[in-house]
Amino acid sequence: MSKYRVQGGNRLVGDIYIGGCKNACLPILSAVVLANDVCRISNIPNISDALLSLDILEALGAKIKRINKNTVDIDPRTITSHVVPHDLAQHMRASYYFLGSLLGRFGDARVSMPGGCNFGVRPIDQHLKGFQALGATVPAIIENGMIDASATQLIGNSIYLDVVSVGATINVMLAAVKARGTTIIENAAKEPHVVDVANFLNTMGADVRGAGTDTIKICGVRVLHGVEYSIIPDQIEAGTYMACAVATGGDIILHGVIPKHLESISAKLREMGAQVSEDDDLVHVIMEGPIKACNVKTMPHPGFPTDMQPQVAALLAIAEGTSIITESIWDNRFRYVDELRRMGAQATVDGKVAVFQGVKSLNGCPVKAVDLRAGAAMMIAALAANGQTEIEDIQYIERGYENFLEKLHSVGADICRIDIPTITSMRA
Ligand code: UD1
């Protein structure tokens, strides 16, 4: 029971260092299961989803040694269990990556149905179709909330994904790297984190080619070695702070980023009137004058990422003119619009389309983070708003943003975290 209290109106100016990519880190931590020796993984973001992945590895029997706050040694040789328990899996979507890695190593995986943000129905049929094509037995119907996959020997095959899915692409890669023969994934997702997982697997000795294109070819190998690997920077964390600069008429330099991964976000912010410049591993965002309205359509990479959709909506709520946002990945990703309306936004939602009639300013009030990126959008709106905003349900935000308050503080935001004692902790 904690919340953020934000006093809006400060212009954010300064430097922010971007952490490791959440959506690369979670499958990479699962992929360590496939190694035959210790892996040292660095640039792990300090977020609750990463801690949960480490808890799952420990529950399976792996030994974890923390080297520093962003680096761990993981010894997967002691893994004996093939079951990811419900109490761990339920909190995180990415727990399903243990299906691919446990199946790939042991030919046996039992993972409770994953949790995660609620954007409507989140099927995993393409993951299961991929495992089945490799020769695994998968459940026709999921019973008791458990997904049970097993195979005596996985054998490479051609798999055409019916939808472009990040999760299915990565999960099939994880299962296929040690399979006998060659696997080809067609209509694969091309996100930077898909490429990072492939690079990690190749560093361990796998033979994965074509990641970043829509055809990935995997030649199975017998052994994957222990390695040292550093996770790529988080595209969405960087994009969120870029949006904070725009919302507050600010001037922020983001360090440790890969500007190429930010191209679609930079292009959209330029359309809104921001100056965005790039150098080797930094992006500089300066905003002067009013935000200009524009239209946004989310698409698989290299299109505009759905995970930046709520954050740009917070900007378009205070833009000059009318903007249309079309969400083409998820069925129900506009739940946060009600919260923006409480702050004075004028917006209508019809299915996968939201129309924002920009208002001059938003007014602070109590709001909720309805999911991770929606929570980031509330923060952006609160930083730009008149007066004070209190954001509840911040556990969603802390799943995906490391040191969120500290980073925003360092560029001049007026924010604090309020911990409200629960009845049990008051008694303790
Ligand atoms: C990942 C990200 C999430 C992001 C999403 C799209 C993680 C932990 N989460 O989610 O933040 O919003 O990519 O960039 O990395 N689909 C199917 N069947 C499947 C799988 C997916 O129909 O078996 C559909 C989904 O309903 C959705 C679309 O495919 O409409 C994309 O989903 P997917 O890319 O798989 O998203 P996730 O990997 O779950």
Side-chain angles (χ1 to χ4, degrees):
M1 281 290 284
S2 301
K3 56 187 176 184
Y4 294 150
R5 183 172 290 160
V6 186
Q7 187 63 43
N10 286 8
R11 180 169 181 260
L12 302 191
V13 179
D15 299 78
I16 293 180
Y17 289 81
I18 295 304
C21 173
K22 163 183 165 289
N23 288 349
C25 165
L26 306 178
I28 284 174
L29 291 177
S30 313
V32 170
V33 167
L34 293 158
N36 73 349
D37 208 341
V38 177
C39 291
R40 174 164 294 184
I41 312 293
S42 56
N43 208 28
I44 297 177
N46 186 17
I47 53 174
S48 58
D49 272 13
L51 297 175
L52 201 55
S53 292
L54 293 171
D55 285 348
I56 293 176
L57 281 164
E58 260 182 339
L60 296 175
K63 292 210 170 78
I64 314 274
K65 187 169 155 206
R66 197 163 270 284
I67 305 302
N68 61 43
K69 73 178 171 35
N70 298 107
T71 305
V72 292
D73 280 354
I74 304 164
D75 186 347
R77 289 171 298 188
T78 44
I79 292 179
T80 47
S81 167
H82 311 159
V83 183
V84 176
H86 174 71
D87 58 333
L88 295 175
Q90 65 170 333
H91 298 294
M92 181 176 72
R93 192 75 198 153
S95 48
Y96 57 33
Y97 289 128
F98 285 94
L99 274 173
S101 61
L102 287 167
L103 192 58
R105 172 153 173 212
F106 300 108
D108 183 33
R110 270 172 71 80
V111 179
S112 179
M113 272 300 276
C117 291
N118 175 4
F119 315 140
V121 185
R122 296 187 75 173
I124 59 160
D125 57 304
Q126 299 302 304
H127 305 230
L128 300 182
K129 169 179 154 172
F131 298 149
Q132 202 166 19
L134 297 176
T137 306
V138 297
I141 303 168
I142 293 162
E143 284 171 7
N144 311 322
M146 283 305 271
I147 309 157
D148 212 333
S150 60
T152 16
Q153 169 70 59
L154 292 170
I155 298 174
N157 201 349
S158 285
I159 297 148
Y160 181 89
L161 298 179
D162 299 334
V163 288
V164 180
S165 159
V166 171
T169 303
I170 293 178
N171 234 342
V172 174
M173 278 199 301
L174 297 178
V177 275
K178 292 184 76 181
R180 194 193 299 153
T182 302
T183 298
I184 295 178
I185 309 173
E186 306 267 19
N187 201 25
K190 297 180 276 208
E191 270 67 3
H193 33 286
V194 174
V195 178
D196 204 35
V197 177
N199 288 341
F200 173 64
L201 294 168
N202 286 340
T203 311
M204 292 201 291
D207 184 352
V208 180
R209 298 173 203 199
T213 76
D214 50 22
T215 304
I216 299 178
K217 184 175 172 194
I218 304 154
C219 295
V221 297
R222 288 175 69 88
V223 176
L224 294 176
H225 309 285
V227 291
E228 288 189 19
Y229 194 81
S230 178
I231 291 163
I232 55 165
D234 197 308
Q235 170 202 28
I236 305 301
E237 187 197 12
T240 300
Y241 293 121
M242 291 167 80
C244 290
V246 175
T248 63
D251 179 341
I252 297 182
I253 300 176
L254 298 163
H255 296 264
V257 298
I258 299 176
K260 176 101 189 121
H261 294 172
L262 297 167
E263 268 174 356
S264 60
I265 300 168
S266 300
K268 218 18 101 180
L269 297 184
R270 285 191 189 107
E271 254 182 84
M272 292 184 198
Q275 295 169 43
V276 184
S277 54
E278 293 151 8
D279 211 338
D280 286 351
D281 69 343
L282 60 84
V283 167
H284 188 176
V285 184
I286 304 173
M287 185 67 187
E288 284 164 358
I291 300 172
K292 294 181 198 148
C294 69
N295 297 334
V296 177
K297 184 171 186 184
T298 65
M299 299 287 279
H301 189 80
F304 190 84
T306 173
D307 286 356
M308 275 299 297
Q309 183 258 97
Q311 300 91 314
V312 291
L315 300 179
L316 297 175
I318 49 169
E320 275 188 343
T322 305
S323 307
I324 301 174
I325 302 181
T326 310
E327 171 57 53
S328 64
I329 311 290
W330 299 111
D331 291 336
N332 189 12
R333 204 168 186 172
F334 285 122
R335 292 187 309 134
Y336 65 87
V337 172
D338 279 345
E339 302 299 306
L340 284 180
R341 280 204 202 98
R342 293 159 68 87
M343 298 178 77
Q346 285 188 21
T348 54
V349 176
D350 185 4
K352 290 166 98 171
V353 177
V355 179
F356 283 81
Q357 182 65 54
V359 294
K360 254 193 142 35
S361 56
L362 298 174
N363 296 310
C365 70
V367 291
K368 283 192 172 67
V370 297
D371 62 52
L372 165 58
R373 307 304 171 184
M378 291 306 122
M379 178 59 83
I380 293 163
L383 289 167
N386 297 320
Q388 197 174 77
T389 302
E390 288 191 346
I391 306 174
E392 289 178 12
D393 288 341
I394 60 170
Q395 70 279 6
Y396 289 114
I397 303 177
E398 293 177 352
R399 281 189 39 218
Y401 288 91
E402 75 169 6
N403 308 333
F404 198 38
L405 290 202
E406 292 79 352
K407 291 187 186 187
L408 286 169
H409 258 304
S410 73
V411 289
D414 183 352
I415 321 173
C416 62
R417 182 194 164 108
I418 299 175
D419 291 313
I420 305 157
T422 57
I423 292 175
T424 352
S425 67
M426 279 193 297
R427 278 199 196 119

